[in-house]
Amino acid sequence: MDGQGATADPQLQHFIEIESQKQRFQQLVHQMTEVCWEKCMDKPGPKLDSRTEVCFVNCVERFIDTSQFILNRLEQTQRSRGSFSETMAE
C-alpha cells in the first residue's frame, strides 16, 4: 500500500461526520421522547392538560441539561487523558 488510502476525502469525512451527528441527534430525541412520555403521560387524550404539559417541558429541559453535562464531562475526561498520555510519551 502507498499510504494514501488511509487519508479519506475531507468532503466525505465532513459528510460522514454531519450524518453521524444527525443520527445521534435523532437517537437522543427518540430517547427523550420515550423517557418523558413514560414519566408524564398518564392517560392519552385529545389535548394535554396543563400539568402534563409542564411535566413534558421540565422533563425535556432536564434531559437536555443532563445530556449536555455528560457530554462536557466526557470531553473533559478525554482532554485530561490526552494530556496525560502526551506527558507519558515525552
Side-chain angles (χ1 to χ4, degrees), residues 27-66:
Q27 288 172 335
L28 203 59
V29 168
H30 178 73
Q31 185 181 5
M32 178 181 61
T33 302
E34 190 174 321
V35 166
C36 293
W37 184 269
E38 289 297 318
K39 179 174 178 43
C40 299
M41 202 59 175
D42 292 333
K43 49 187 182 307
K47 286 178 70 175
L48 291 180
D49 61 23
S50 61
R51 184 184 65 77
T52 304
E53 188 173 347
V54 167
C55 180
F56 272 116
V57 169
N58 288 335
C59 182
V60 169
E61 287 176 353
R62 294 302 72 77
F63 191 93
I64 291 169
D65 290 345
T66 303

Side-chain angles (χ1 to χ4, degrees), residues 7-24:
T7 348
D9 176 15
Q11 284 183 320
L12 179 60
Q13 283 181 325
H14 182 69
F15 174 78
I16 291 170
E17 185 178 319
I18 297 292
E19 291 302 310
S20 294
Q21 287 175 355
K22 286 181 189 176
Q23 183 180 14
R24 284 192 300 270

